[in-house]
Amino acid sequence: IPDNVSVDDVAESQVIIYTKSHIVVVENADIHDVQIFDINGRCISKDGMNAVSENEIFVERTGFYIVKVANIAQRIMIR
């Protein structure tokens, strides 16, 4: 590990975000908050993750969303 990488940076780099139908799956988020924003920038969900490897968050409507975990943001599509 390079000298300028913190433990939080390493943990965040292992976060995996994907969808299963109307469910957003976040893996390896540890105890970070997960926020989901709609296309207009409104926060539609803010959940603290449990210390399990995979957490699921239900999203009712289809469309594009931004999922933010710590310093990571990823665009997803709910179909």
Side-chain angles (χ1 to χ4, degrees), residues 3-58:
D3 291 341
N4 62 346
V5 176
S6 71
V7 174
D8 287 337
D9 291 337
V10 173
E12 290 169 11
S13 68
Q14 297 174 3
V15 172
I16 300 169
I17 302 167
Y18 60 93
T19 61
K20 292 190 297 188
S21 185
H22 281 261
I23 297 172
V24 176
V25 181
V26 181
E27 295 182 1
N28 305 320
D30 294 329
I31 57 169
H32 292 291
D33 285 339
V34 175
Q35 296 174 301
I36 301 177
F37 298 91
D38 67 12
I39 198 159
N40 295 315
R42 292 180 298 232
C43 183
I44 64 159
S45 177
K46 181 177 181 180
D47 292 319
M49 294 293 98
N50 298 321
V52 296
S53 61
E54 181 178 295
N55 289 275
E56 297 181 348
I57 303 166
F58 180 77

